Amino acid sequence: VIIFLAVQILLLTIVSSTGDDGENFARTIDRKLLGLHRKEKLTHFKVYWHDILSGPNPSSIMIQPPITNSTYFGGINMIDNALTAKVTRNSTLLGQAQGFYAGAAQKELGFLMAMNFAFKRGKYKAICISEPPYGARTKWVDLKTLDATVEYIQILLLSVVSSTRDDGENFARTIDRKLLGLRRKEKLAHFKVYWHDMISGPNPTSIIIQPPVKKYSTTYFGGIFMIDNALTAKVSRNSTLIGKAQGFYAGAAQKELGLIMAMNFVFKTGKYNGSTITILGRNSAMSEVREMPIVGGSGLFRFARGYVEARTKWTRNLDATVEYSCYVLHY
């Protein structure tokens, strides 16, 4: 109880100054000003995502060729894909999916997706979401051109809309939280995994796909590494394999070794087999402890949020083993 009250007090007092000294640049505000006094609703909708690589006007353009053609590992496509109300490309345009996808698995066709759904119709115009989707199903694919249509099902804890009309203006609907098991109290899970970043040797799991800017070779600014790193139960690389860390990290600081990390922890054992958590954040690699947000998840970690703490346990040259202590709120 004491800890809980202390956390509440901290949240209320952490930023109350309005001085311009640079130390206290934020302030607390009344939640009601942003409409947060209303009860949170669960919103569901479907959209159809059209990834067109062929023809004179492709919406998906390769900006980095893959290292491995069979799994597309290391390849990056920038996208500005249409989102429609129905499977056909000429159905009502709801918006655009803008971002990129990258091949992030060495032995299978597995992608890291980073994109915004930017809606362009009715009351949703100018609304943008970047949460992981609840589900994706390929509806159509051309094996020669790789053009594809994918159904994206999105579940959002938002107060957005309650209409189920099919005119493209109101394509979402509120649903009962209980249908997805959300009547249960949110749980806090904690676990540790060990992340093995292997750049050297004949079978590296971390491969540079964009070298750093020459001027910043010591801080790796501008360098991009695609990873398919093992996650194990203990520090040893030979311990039990828990899953894979698939995604990339990039040098994003000019004067220090500061990385942006975007990766999925894909679990491959026990009841968590197939479940994921998504980590997106800043990694100040030379710090003893680095904290990064968990921004979503899938499977048993649907609606996940939380954070991870990263601690380097071993390093040699550029190879490293890092302990990830994960704190995950989920249902």
Side-chain angles (χ1 to χ4, degrees):
V1 174
I2 294 174
I3 294 174
F4 177 74
L5 290 174
V7 170
Q8 282 191 318
I9 293 170
L10 177 63
L11 290 172
L12 290 171
T13 62
I14 192 168
V15 284
S16 58
S17 172
T18 59
D20 61 355
D21 58 1
E23 293 295 324
N24 297 296
F25 55 87
R27 64 187 178 90
T28 55
I29 62 173
D30 188 342
R31 293 166 58 93
K32 294 180 181 179
L33 294 177
L34 296 179
L36 299 182
H37 58 290
R38 296 173 295 180
K39 187 176 180 181
E40 201 172 35
K41 295 179 182 178
L42 185 67
T43 301
H44 167 266
F45 62 86
K46 289 181 183 179
V47 292
Y48 294 89
W49 177 92
H50 302 277
D51 194 49
I52 307 303
L53 293 84
S54 65
N57 297 301
S59 63
S60 177
I61 297 174
M62 181 189 295
I63 60 170
Q64 173 66 40
I67 296 165
T68 307
N69 287 328
S70 59
T71 63
Y72 211 75
F73 183 67
I76 301 176
N77 277 50
M78 196 65 68
I79 64 170
D80 186 11
N81 288 348
L83 297 173
T84 64
K86 296 182 179 181
V87 174
T88 58
R89 286 173 58 189
N90 59 1
S91 62
T92 304
L93 181 70
L94 302 178
Q96 301 292 130
Q98 298 171 333
F100 72 87
Y101 57 84
Q106 291 179 314
K107 297 182 179 180
E108 60 182 317
L109 193 61
F111 293 102
L112 172 74
M113 311 287 292
M115 58 186 172
N116 294 309
F117 282 9
F119 299 109
K120 298 179 180 292
R121 293 189 65 85
K123 67 177 69 177
Y124 310 106
K125 189 175 182 179
I127 292 178
C128 180
I129 61 170
S130 54
E131 296 187 26
Y134 176 83
R137 298 178 175 90
T138 300
K139 306 300 287 186
W140 171 86
V141 63
D142 186 319
L143 296 178
K144 291 183 179 179
T145 64
L146 297 183
D147 294 349
T149 295
V150 179
E151 175 189 83
Y152 274 89
I153 303 172
Q154 196 85 25
I155 307 290
L156 299 173
L157 290 171
L158 292 174
S159 177
V160 180
V161 68
S162 59
S163 173
T164 58
R165 288 181 353 197
D166 193 27
D167 58 0
E169 295 294 324
N170 296 294
F171 54 87
R173 64 188 178 95
T174 55
I175 61 173
D176 189 342
R177 295 163 62 97
K178 295 178 182 179
L179 295 176
L180 295 177
L182 299 184
R183 62 187 182 277
R184 297 171 296 179
K185 188 176 181 180
E186 204 172 24
K187 297 176 286 188
L188 177 62
H190 172 255
F191 56 89
K192 291 182 181 180
V193 292
Y194 294 88
W195 180 91
H196 301 277
D197 195 47
M198 296 295 115
I199 297 173
S200 66
N203 298 301
T205 63
S206 178
I207 297 175
I208 191 166
I209 60 171
Q210 174 64 46
V213 178
K214 189 175 182 180
K215 179 180 177 181
Y216 300 105
S217 58
T218 57
T219 62
Y220 267 84
F221 182 67
I224 303 175
F225 285 78
M226 195 65 68
I227 65 170
D228 188 9
N229 289 349
L231 298 173
T232 63
K234 297 183 179 180
V235 174
S236 170
R237 288 177 60 191
N238 297 324
S239 62
T240 303
L241 182 71
I242 301 297
K244 291 293 190 76
Q246 297 176 333
F248 75 86
Y249 57 83
Q254 291 180 325
K255 297 181 179 179
E256 60 179 314
L257 189 58
L259 308 173
I260 179 171
M261 311 284 294
M263 59 185 172
N264 295 309
F265 281 9
V266 183
F267 301 105
K268 296 181 178 290
T269 186
K271 68 177 182 178
Y272 298 104
N273 186 23
S275 297
T276 70
I277 59 173
T278 301
I279 297 166
L280 174 64
R282 181 177 186 271
N283 183 350
S284 180
M286 301 307 292
S287 299
E288 182 178 354
V289 182
R290 292 87 70 188
E291 185 176 305
M292 290 170 278
I294 295 171
V295 298
S298 66
L300 292 181
F301 292 121
R302 288 173 183 162
F303 300 102
R305 56 194 175 92
Y307 71 99
V308 300
E309 292 178 344
R311 296 173 174 84
T312 300
K313 308 301 288 186
W314 171 87
T315 183
R316 184 175 62 194
N317 299 326
L318 292 178
D319 294 345
T321 295
V322 179
E323 175 190 274
Y324 276 82
S325 188
C326 307
Y327 297 85
V328 189
L329 283 165
H330 66 102
Y331 288 94

